[in-house]
Amino acid sequence: MAIYLDHAATTPISEIALAEFNKQLQQIGNPSSLHNFGREQRRALEEAREKIANFISCAPSEIIFTGSGTEADNLAIKGLFWKSQKSGKKVIVISSFEHKAVLEPAEWLVEKEGAELIQIPITSEGIVDLNFLINLISDRGQEIALISVMHSNNEIGALQPIDEVIKIAGDIPVHCDAVQSLLKVPVTFEGLTALTISAHKIGGPVGVGALVLKRGFDIPALLHGGGQEREIRSGTLNAPAICAFAAALTTYPTDAVTALRDQLISGIRDSIPNALINTPAHALPGIVNVSFPGTKGETLLLLMDMEGIACSTGSACSAGVHRPSHVLIALGRSEDEAIGTLRLSLGAQSTRADIDRVLEVLPNVVEKARLAK
Ligand SMILES: Cc1ncc(COP(=O)(O)O)c(C=O)c1O
């Protein structure tokens, strides 16, 4: 039986979310229409909005639904920059291991809009260097348009000190990408200006995300049209997907997943010489990132796939691209170490038998990959 250990790329839709999705797909009506069908869709959608808002401690009106986490990140980075640019602030500060959905729009703003990008280094424990941020703000605080630090890293699972970042930032708007953290660890909107979430990482459908944006803090739109979502994100609201997103917000088996992760990490340490665990102690329950120097991640991945185990070399978005991960380089790994890396990400459905099977085949896979390089 195939084993799926790529839950950080996307996790299967949960039964409860699928039931809600199917139910809502059979309803007629645009939620913006004023007739009875439309009003009924709107009612279901607003209930979903309220449930999501309660889950992350924000006001329902602060949620702007989007088509993905990527869209929400783009909206946040570009929108917050354009808003602050009006008062002459041009510096964008992000952590040096942000997801490409944050990094790429920031680099685009440098190229097209005259922004300056400063990346906060990562300590060897996989945490943003807060002293760097403190010094940066004391030197150039007046020039900073926004700060973006992710809640947890998608490749190594490292959890970030968001409360500290918010305190240090003072009046500077802070955006946080919590796509990987939602449901797995507590996530709150408190103190933030903007927050990104996405449904398909928590057992909801693909194709719906949200930007949570502080009330009264309106930013320029990327999509113009019918004026939905505070005129920040036009487009007919995807009511079935939004309702299923809310339905997916149930409980997560944190203890069970953490125990499996720890079993996997100690099994790898015991059985594979030179394995370098890149996932730090303070991390999400489900991610194990490990480097095997002298191998190539793509070879490891294909050999694992031949054994019926699906995993990843890191972020799904850069899969297939033979470049060392910027996350592992930011963490201080060498190119050789970074290239020979696997990410095994566990989910609510993962079992002890899955981990036993991985530990059974992995030493041989690594051996073969070392010979193949
Ligand atoms: C940290 C992080 N941010 C953003 C995204 C993009 O989310 P989506 O797949 O909904 O576009 C991902 C997905 O891999 C992610 O892990």
Side-chain angles (χ1 to χ4, degrees):
M1 251 256 294
I3 295 174
Y4 185 76
L5 289 181
D6 201 13
H7 290 269
T10 193
T11 201
I13 191 162
S14 68
E15 260 177 52
I16 187 163
L18 184 59
E20 181 67 18
F21 197 36
N22 281 331
K23 186 179 115 195
Q24 293 300 333
L25 277 172
Q26 289 164 49
Q27 307 302 313
I28 309 171
N30 182 324
S32 298
S33 296
L34 296 179
H35 48 62
N36 194 36
F37 294 107
R39 288 202 311 274
E40 200 39 47
Q41 284 282 59
R42 172 63 67 176
R43 188 197 52 74
L45 189 148
E46 293 307 328
E47 265 177 36
R49 192 193 299 274
E50 207 168 314
K51 182 172 175 200
I52 298 171
N54 284 338
F55 203 85
I56 52 175
S57 304
C58 70
S61 61
E62 291 178 313
I63 295 181
I64 296 166
F65 287 112
T66 62
S68 63
T70 299
E71 187 191 335
D73 279 342
N74 270 265
L75 197 49
I77 302 301
K78 292 174 185 166
L80 293 179
F81 175 78
W82 282 323
K83 189 173 173 74
S84 300
Q85 193 188 27
K86 284 188 194 141
S87 41
K89 299 178 191 217
K90 287 192 167 180
V91 175
I92 300 174
V93 179
I94 66 173
S95 86
S96 54
F97 65 2
E98 287 302 308
H99 190 274
K100 292 277 172 75
V102 166
L103 177 62
E104 295 277 331
E107 287 180 340
W108 183 87
L109 288 166
V110 171
E111 203 187 311
K112 305 283 185 198
E113 299 283 297
E116 181 186 348
L117 177 60
I118 297 179
Q119 301 196 27
I120 314 168
I122 304 300
T123 68
S124 54
E125 282 83 47
I127 293 169
V128 282
D129 186 338
L130 293 176
N131 285 328
F132 177 94
L133 187 60
I134 291 169
N135 291 333
L136 179 66
I137 290 177
S138 94
D139 286 352
R140 305 192 56 191
Q142 293 305 317
E143 300 167 63
I144 300 176
L146 71 126
I147 298 171
S148 182
V149 175
M150 65 204 318
H151 202 278
S152 59
N153 181 270
N154 50 298
E155 291 191 35
I156 61 171
L159 286 159
Q160 299 305 302
I162 298 303
D163 286 349
E164 302 288 315
V165 171
I166 291 170
K167 264 191 232 144
I168 295 167
D171 291 340
I172 303 168
V174 178
H175 165 253
C176 176
D177 175 336
V179 166
Q180 291 291 340
S181 287
L182 185 66
L183 190 65
K184 292 142 204 167
V185 291
V187 170
T188 171
F189 184 57
E190 255 166 65
L192 289 166
T193 301
L195 174 81
T196 294
I197 52 178
S198 173
H200 74 108
K201 309 284 185 179
I202 66 157
V206 184
V208 62
L211 178 68
V212 187
L213 184 65
K214 208 167 152 182
R215 225 181 321 205
F217 201 95
D218 288 347
I219 56 175
L222 293 181
L223 299 183
H224 300 90
Q228 291 90 343
E229 302 297 86
R230 286 159 58 185
E231 299 200 0
I232 292 173
R233 205 282 187 176
S234 284
T236 300
L237 282 155
N238 187 349
I242 291 167
C243 291
F245 185 2
L249 284 171
T250 51
T251 51
Y252 182 80
T254 308
D255 292 348
V257 178
T258 306
L260 291 176
R261 177 202 62 189
D262 292 347
Q263 186 203 345
L264 181 55
I265 291 178
S266 66
I268 293 173
R269 281 206 171 106
D270 290 348
S271 62
I272 306 177
N274 307 331
L276 280 170
I277 304 291
N278 300 313
T279 297
H282 189 50
L284 289 174
I287 293 186
V288 176
N289 187 300
V290 53
S291 296
F292 304 103
T295 67
K296 269 197 190 141
E298 285 75 15
T299 314
L300 293 164
L301 187 149
L302 292 175
L303 289 166
M304 291 292 273
D305 202 35
M306 281 160 67
E307 296 288 350
I309 302 168
C311 53
S312 149
T313 57
S315 110
C317 311
S318 56
V321 180
H322 296 251
R323 266 183 282 136
S325 138
H326 72 288
V327 171
L328 296 176
I329 297 296
L331 194 65
R333 295 294 184 229
S334 68
E335 283 214 359
D336 179 51
E337 290 163 353
I339 281 176
T341 296
L342 275 188
R343 179 187 68 182
L344 301 145
S345 52
L346 287 59
Q349 301 84 352
S350 300
T351 64
R352 172 103 204 208
D354 295 346
I355 303 306
D356 289 343
R357 179 73 186 140
V358 171
L359 292 173
E360 194 183 321
V361 305
L362 195 54
N364 197 25
V365 161
V366 172
E367 199 49 47
K368 276 194 195 159
R370 284 191 173 136
L371 291 172
K373 203 187 171 197

